[in-house]
Amino acid sequence: MSAVPPRFVFFVVFCITIGGLLFGYDTGVISGALVVIKDEWHLSNTQQEFIVGGTTLGAIVGGLFAGYFADRWGRRVITFLASVVFIIGALIMTFSRNYSVLISGRVVVGLGVGAASMVVPLYIGELAPKEFRGRLVTLNVLAITGGQLIAYLIAWGLADVHNGWRWMFAISAFPAAVQLCCLPWLPESPRVLIRRGKEDRARAILHRVYGSKVPDSVVDEELESMHRAMRTESATRYRDLLHATNFRPLVVACVLQLMQQFSGFNTAMYYSATILKMAGFSSTKSATQFSIAIAATNMVMTIAAIAIIDRYGRRKLLLVSFVGMILGLILLGIAFIFIVGLVKITKDTCAEYALCGACTLDDKCNWSPGAGLCASKGDGMFPDLTDACDSTTTRERAGTWLALASLVFYVALYAIGLGNVPWLVQSEIFANGIRSKAGSIATATNWVSNFIVSVTFLTMTQHITASGTFWFYAGILSAGVCFVFAMVPETKGLKLEDVQKLFIGSSLPFLARGTSAPPPLPKPDDLSSDEGVQDTAAEFSDAAATTNAPPSITRHERRSSRRSSSGSGTSASLVNR
């Protein structure tokens, strides 16, 4: 195969990843819009959290149901519906006149975001040649980060424009319209077509995916691999996810998605302008400018991840990412000690706050630069009250720049691994018949975690301090390092139909030797009798367990155990699980 995929593949990936761009834009635009809306509508911290969380709430529902309907209607139909929902939500937000209508628009957009976040990596993962799957799926994450960067740039440009926040929301309708125009030229996933009995169409699409120079035998082998997988898998219902061979990858996918959100990264995206105002960047515009630097870092490092993910693999990048993010969060917490102090934002009177950073975190307080003290909002004795802090002391200036540097470092390490690997692994590790349903549960896990983090961040900064909040996220990531080391296998270079075999057996990934492809599935001719089914299934499990089984257990003992269990009424396939 050539060193790069055919242009047809790039066209399909470009069109489908518009959904990722919209995902990034709609989650990122709120950072710049919120600092304007909260002043215009006099919003409390709780109201701000629910404006941010509205999209996440919709995404939970959209991601959960997208998997079911992607199996019934196909990937293209879900992409079409997501585009329509994006447009409707953009219009509701643009013309909203009060808090409730704005929340409604955010929830509607969230439905599209959730559907896109589930179907886009799934679609690309099923269509992409295995040699390029890591890079092509990660292009969706690049589109997400590009959408966030565009959102920050637009927010910065419209920061001082009357009703600029309405234009921020309106602009999101245009990419969705472009995707609608692309959809007639997008093919359905070959695996969906095979399931529907349309092998000729699937073959034609695979020929275009692999390129005209690839011999027919390559396409035939790919089709046969899909057929073998479908003949041997029976998982088509949600309850089949409880089977061990499906449940293990489901746990891996869900925990990785949970870690992605409980790393606290999206608080850096949603609240970056707010965090930087806390950190001493005095004006909304200057805080938004530095938010652009953070989003640009995210995008540049995602490009770096695309270049290396198929070379170094998923596990290594995840482990490096986790360790680097922990260091970044620890430094960010230290920076906020310099700026805010280890102060809970629960004082009875504003005068009790000695530092501007702590003062402005309290809903009821503002800072007076002239008097150098904290006072209640609207206090007539201090006409210069403001919610922004100027870094005037050496300590505050050091904290301000340490906060920015550590935030950039944290985002860079996120983008290199945790930002993209969960979506890639999710698109790889499930059997074809259950992939959409399992993917929808993992996606819903991501958005439930996202919602929890987004609606608790400002409250946590008040009750356990800003530093305590960042260190709390660092503690969660420390547990994540152990999980990745013990439970996440390497999937680079394997066909989708081979990846699930990595979860057969009981060994943990760090005990496995190498990442060679597991043995092939049995041919249908070998399954001609009940005894043949049990013997062949046993041989397949033995081959898969050659690395996984403890050396003290012999192949004969394993087969005897299986047949004994079968005689007592337990199927060989269940024992293998």
Side-chain angles (χ1 to χ4, degrees):
M1 190 161 179
S2 63
V4 295
R7 284 181 293 180
F8 170 73
V9 174
F10 281 116
F11 169 75
V12 171
V13 171
F14 167 78
C15 293
I16 197 70
T17 53
I18 292 175
L21 184 140
L22 287 166
F23 171 2
Y25 184 90
D26 281 307
T27 54
V29 74
I30 196 62
S31 175
L34 191 61
V35 293
V36 179
I37 296 172
K38 72 169 184 174
D39 293 333
E40 185 175 323
W41 288 358
H42 307 292
L43 300 178
S44 67
N45 278 350
T46 301
Q47 288 175 314
Q48 293 177 60
E49 287 173 336
F50 275 95
I51 287 178
V52 172
T55 292
T56 310
L57 193 61
I60 294 170
V61 178
L64 191 60
F65 286 98
Y68 173 78
F69 290 110
D71 274 344
R72 288 182 63 88
W73 301 338
R75 289 31 167 168
R76 290 174 73 244
V77 173
I78 299 303
T79 304
F80 167 80
L81 292 175
S83 298
V84 172
V85 168
F86 275 126
I87 293 173
I88 294 172
L91 294 175
I92 293 174
M93 291 188 297
T94 300
F95 296 104
S96 60
R97 295 295 175 187
N98 56 56
Y99 172 75
S100 299
V101 176
L102 180 59
I103 287 286
S104 300
R106 294 284 293 167
V107 171
V108 171
V109 163
L111 295 172
V113 167
S117 64
M118 195 290 297
V119 79
V120 172
L122 174 67
Y123 186 104
I124 298 173
E126 291 185 340
L127 194 71
K130 67 180 187 299
E131 296 84 357
F132 306 109
R133 188 173 63 241
R135 279 166 281 179
L136 292 175
V137 173
T138 307
L139 283 175
N140 179 54
V141 182
L142 179 62
I144 294 172
T145 61
Q148 289 171 337
L149 178 58
I150 291 170
Y152 288 133
L153 288 169
I154 290 174
W156 173 74
L158 297 174
D160 297 327
V161 175
H162 178 64
N163 279 333
W165 63 269
R166 296 184 185 276
W167 285 104
M168 296 179 201
F169 293 136
I171 288 170
S172 64
F174 293 103
V178 171
Q179 187 173 56
L180 285 177
C181 294
C182 289
L183 280 174
W185 287 273
L186 293 184
E188 185 53 89
S189 164
R191 286 167 174 81
V192 173
L193 294 174
I194 289 289
R195 200 182 309 134
R196 294 174 177 175
K198 299 179 180 179
E199 183 170 333
D200 290 341
R201 289 180 61 185
R203 182 185 298 275
I205 292 169
L206 286 174
H207 270 295
R208 298 188 71 184
V209 165
Y210 281 95
S212 58
K213 296 182 180 179
V214 172
D216 290 345
S217 59
V218 173
V219 174
D220 292 339
E221 181 184 353
E222 187 75 14
L223 286 170
E224 180 57 27
S225 178
M226 295 179 194
H227 279 298
R228 285 200 306 268
M230 290 179 188
R231 283 194 295 265
T232 56
E233 68 187 26
S234 60
T236 57
R237 299 159 296 181
Y238 278 102
R239 67 183 180 185
D240 292 314
L241 286 167
L242 298 177
H243 294 167
T245 50
N246 294 318
F247 188 70
R248 289 176 185 171
L250 181 65
V251 169
V252 168
C254 288
V255 172
L256 287 181
Q257 294 289 14
L258 184 146
M259 287 293 168
Q260 187 185 76
Q261 295 306 319
F262 276 96
S263 70
F265 173 77
N266 275 324
T267 62
M269 292 293 102
Y270 296 148
Y271 296 110
S272 60
T274 302
I275 291 171
L276 290 170
K277 285 190 75 175
M278 290 181 201
F281 293 94
S282 55
S283 69
T284 295
K285 194 150 190 173
S286 66
T288 304
Q289 285 175 328
F290 284 104
S291 296
I292 293 171
I294 292 169
T297 300
N298 190 17
M299 185 173 180
V300 169
M301 295 307 292
T302 300
I303 295 172
I306 291 171
I308 64 177
I309 195 165
D310 282 323
R311 183 188 310 170
Y312 294 106
R314 288 62 159 150
R315 272 172 57 85
K316 288 181 181 177
L317 291 186
L318 270 179
L319 291 170
V320 170
S321 179
F322 271 75
V323 173
M325 290 175 71
I326 291 169
L327 177 60
L329 286 167
I330 291 172
L331 292 174
L332 189 58
I334 293 171
F336 270 79
I337 292 177
F338 293 152
I339 302 163
V340 180
L342 283 173
V343 179
K344 294 182 180 180
I345 313 302
T346 54
K347 305 295 184 183
D348 293 329
T349 62
C350 296
E352 295 180 65
Y353 298 113
L355 295 175
C356 175
C359 172
T360 55
L361 284 175
D362 195 316
D363 285 343
K364 64 180 181 294
C365 303
N366 275 164
W367 184 258
S368 170
L373 53 78
C374 188
S376 299
K377 288 182 178 179
D379 191 328
M381 292 180 61
F382 305 101
D384 60 343
L385 288 177
T386 178
D387 64 350
C389 298
D390 290 315
S391 300
T392 55
T393 69
T394 302
R395 165 180 163 155
E396 289 174 338
R397 282 194 295 270
T400 295
W401 290 105
L402 178 59
L404 179 61
S406 56
L407 195 56
V408 168
F409 178 77
Y410 163 80
V411 168
L413 269 294
Y414 171 88
I416 205 74
L418 189 56
N420 55 73
V421 173
W423 298 109
L424 172 57
V425 169
Q426 177 178 312
S427 72
E428 294 178 322
I429 61 177
F430 298 112
N432 186 61
I434 207 73
R435 190 173 295 134
S436 293
K437 296 179 178 68
S440 68
I441 292 174
T443 300
T445 300
N446 179 289
W447 288 110
V448 169
S449 307
N450 187 315
F451 179 76
I452 293 170
V453 171
S454 63
V455 301
T456 58
F457 173 70
L458 293 179
T459 301
M460 286 176 67
T461 61
Q462 291 181 326
H463 288 84
I464 64 171
T465 76
S467 297
T469 301
F470 296 128
W471 293 338
F472 172 78
Y473 296 146
I476 291 177
L477 286 177
S478 298
V481 172
C482 300
F483 179 84
V484 172
F485 185 71
M487 296 298 294
V488 179
E490 183 54 71
T491 60
K492 71 172 183 177
L494 298 178
K495 293 180 181 179
L496 291 180
E497 284 70 29
D498 288 334
V499 170
Q500 197 197 20
K501 302 173 196 174
L502 297 173
F503 294 92
I504 295 175
S506 59
S507 285
L508 299 178
F510 70 86
L511 296 177
R513 300 182 182 274
T515 57
S516 58
L521 288 166
K523 294 181 180 179
D525 294 342
D526 298 330
L527 307 179
S528 55
S529 67
D530 290 342
E531 183 178 359
V533 169
Q534 293 190 5
D535 287 344
T536 306
E539 289 170 7
F540 169 68
S541 181
D542 289 338
T546 299
T547 301
N548 294 333
S552 60
I553 300 176
T554 67
R555 171 175 170 173
H556 175 74
E557 289 170 334
R558 288 195 300 271
R559 294 187 64 178
S560 298
S561 174
R562 270 190 296 272
R563 287 177 175 171
S564 175
S565 299
S566 177
S568 63
T570 305
S571 71
S573 62
L574 186 58
V575 173
N576 289 344
R577 295 190 180 107

